[in-house]
């Protein structure tokens, strides 16, 4: 996880009276992109229903209280321990390690959406956050498939959950694709290949990434119809079932608007 922070009052959780939280519940699945509203001038709480947040990646300004106590193995491993300030960061962050929840607050006045990757022990979600003049709020990530998997595992049934290493590798590849900055062991290739999708959309494969057992594909998708176009990650799955994660910058396109679509599938 990267840099983060919240104002002093929010670091003293439990010593102050918290505001009454509203709730935005988002039903998702592993690899999905979630759109939500965050308060422009107040903290927003984010939690996973039936699980704990163990890692957060994004353009974080600074962080606090995000280092687990080494002596207590029962705490979640993550959200990192960085204390350095990132001057270009968009969010400050504080962690409640015992509950596996985080508190975020926008930094600066930029109006563009904020992207954040949040991981549990079994899945990674992409949050596309839009700031608005609203009171303090709570975002609840509800993943029914993850909860079913956990119940089955507890009952001695279904296959084990994906490893934390595998989840982190998907998240890292998404970050490489979004930033277009890749390490030596990942190959990036510029492409310009049209893909047939729907009559209402024009889609091109513009960039491909390969390495670490994964293949990442970045698409440019444009709404060429005269009506709004609503996208969903499931529409970019493949019949052969090798798609592992999908992220979309903008799920709602007006006529002539475009977005990036990131698809990660299994490599050789």
């Amino acid at each position: 996880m990267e840099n983060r922070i919240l104002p002093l009052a929010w670091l003293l959780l439990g010593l102050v009276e918290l505001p009454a939280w509203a709730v935005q519940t988002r039903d998702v699945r592993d690899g999905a992109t979630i759109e939500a509203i965050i308060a422009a001038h107040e903290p927003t709480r984010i939690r996973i229903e039936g699980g704990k947040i163990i890692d957060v990646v994004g353009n974080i300004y600074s962080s606090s209280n995000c280092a687990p106590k080494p002596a207590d193995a029962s705490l979640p491993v993550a959200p990192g321990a960085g204390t350095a300030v990132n001057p270009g960061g968009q969010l400050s962050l504080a962690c409640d390690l015992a509950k596996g929840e985080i508190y975020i607050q926008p930094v600066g006045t930029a109006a563009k959406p904020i992207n954040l990757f949040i991981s549990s022990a079994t899945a990674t979600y992409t949050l596309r956050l839009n700031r608005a003049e609203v009171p303090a709020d709570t975002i609840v990530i509800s993943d029914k498939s993850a909860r079913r998997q956990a119940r089955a595992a507890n009952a001695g049934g279904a296959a084990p959950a994906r490893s934390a290493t595998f989840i982190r590798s998907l998240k890292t590849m998404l970050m490489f694709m979004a930033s277009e900055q890749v390490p030596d062991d990942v190959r990036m290739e510029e492409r310009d290949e049209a893909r047939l999708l729907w009559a209402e959309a024009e889609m091109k494969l513009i960039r491909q990434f390969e390495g670490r057992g994964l293949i990442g594909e970045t698409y440019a998708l444009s709404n060429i119809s005269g009506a709004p176009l609503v996208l969903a990650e499931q529409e970019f799955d493949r019949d052969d079932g090798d798609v592992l994660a999908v992220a979309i910058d903008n799920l709602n396109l007006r006529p002539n608007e475009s977005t990036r679509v990131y698809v990660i599938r299994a490599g050789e």
Side-chain angles (χ1 to χ4, degrees), residues 10 16-22 42-43 135-138:
W10 291 102
V16 296
E17 183 179 352
L18 294 178
W21 299 99
E42 301 286 345
D137 203 353
T138 293

Side-chain angles (χ1 to χ4, degrees), residues 89-153:
Q90 297 173 295
L91 286 173
S92 62
L93 179 146
C95 305
D96 184 334
L97 295 179
K99 293 181 179 179
E101 302 176 349
I102 62 172
Y103 299 81
I104 62 172
Q105 185 167 331
V107 172
T109 58
K112 68 177 183 178
I114 298 169
N115 294 315
L116 204 63
F117 294 95
I118 290 185
S119 296
S120 68
T122 58
T124 296
Y125 313 101
T126 304
L127 273 63
R128 182 178 172 85
L129 305 171
N130 298 286
R131 49 182 107 190
E133 296 297 333
V134 296
D137 203 353
T138 293
I139 298 170
V140 178
I141 299 171
S142 176
D143 188 341
K144 294 182 175 62
S145 62
R147 294 200 300 275
R148 284 196 297 269
Q149 185 182 48
R151 285 196 297 268

Side-chain angles (χ1 to χ4, degrees), residues 1 31 43 46 71 83 89 97 101 127 137 142 162 185 244-245 247 250:
M1 180 166 163
I46 302 177
T83 56
L97 295 179
E101 302 176 349
L127 273 63
D137 203 353
S142 176
R162 292 175 177 177
D185 61 340
L244 303 173
N250 187 2

Side-chain angles (χ1 to χ4, degrees), residues 182-193:
V182 299
D184 293 339
D185 61 340
V186 175
R187 180 169 59 90
M188 181 175 72
E189 182 180 351
E190 299 292 336
R191 308 287 282 271
D192 184 17
E193 301 175 11

Side-chain angles (χ1 to χ4, degrees), residues 47-268:
R47 68 179 183 87
I48 297 175
E49 189 174 53
K52 291 186 175 183
I53 296 172
I54 65 168
D55 203 7
V56 179
V57 171
N59 190 10
I60 308 298
Y61 174 76
S62 60
S63 69
S64 62
N65 200 34
C66 291
K69 298 175 183 177
D72 189 349
S74 68
L75 292 179
V77 175
T83 56
V85 169
N86 168 24
Q90 297 173 295
L91 286 173
S92 62
L93 179 146
C95 305
D96 184 334
L97 295 179
K99 293 181 179 179
E101 302 176 349
I102 62 172
Y103 299 81
I104 62 172
Q105 185 167 331
V107 172
T109 58
K112 68 177 183 178
I114 298 169
N115 294 315
L116 204 63
F117 294 95
I118 290 185
S119 296
S120 68
T122 58
T124 296
Y125 313 101
T126 304
L127 273 63
R128 182 178 172 85
L129 305 171
N130 298 286
R131 49 182 107 190
E133 296 297 333
V134 296
D137 203 353
T138 293
I139 298 170
V140 178
I141 299 171
S142 176
D143 188 341
K144 294 182 175 62
S145 62
R147 294 200 300 275
R148 284 196 297 269
Q149 185 182 48
R151 285 196 297 268
N154 291 336
R162 292 175 177 177
S163 70
T165 301
F166 177 73
I167 297 298
R168 182 176 288 276
S169 68
L170 290 180
K171 177 187 62 183
T172 301
M173 179 61 84
L174 277 171
M175 292 297 294
F176 292 156
M177 296 167 69
S179 67
E180 299 176 16
Q181 298 178 359
V182 299
D184 293 339
D185 61 340
V186 175
R187 180 169 59 90
M188 181 175 72
E189 182 180 351
E190 299 292 336
R191 308 287 282 271
D192 184 17
E193 301 175 11
R195 292 286 191 270
L196 181 62
L197 191 61
W198 314 291
E200 299 84 359
E202 181 180 83
M203 185 172 176
K204 280 189 177 183
L205 173 64
I206 60 173
R207 204 164 286 111
Q208 183 165 300
F209 302 78
E210 187 169 354
R212 305 186 182 187
L214 300 170
I215 296 174
E217 297 167 335
T218 301
Y219 295 89
L221 187 148
S222 301
N223 180 3
I224 58 175
S225 74
L229 182 63
V230 179
L231 306 175
E233 290 83 5
Q234 295 89 335
E235 295 169 322
F236 298 91
D237 205 347
R238 299 188 179 205
D239 292 338
D240 52 17
D242 66 347
V243 172
L244 303 173
V246 177
I248 304 173
D249 278 347
N250 187 2
L251 295 171
N252 299 281
L253 298 180
R254 291 176 293 188
N256 300 316
E257 281 191 336
S258 300
T259 188
R260 288 285 189 269
V261 177
Y262 306 98
V263 177
I264 298 178
R265 53 191 179 89
E268 295 297 331

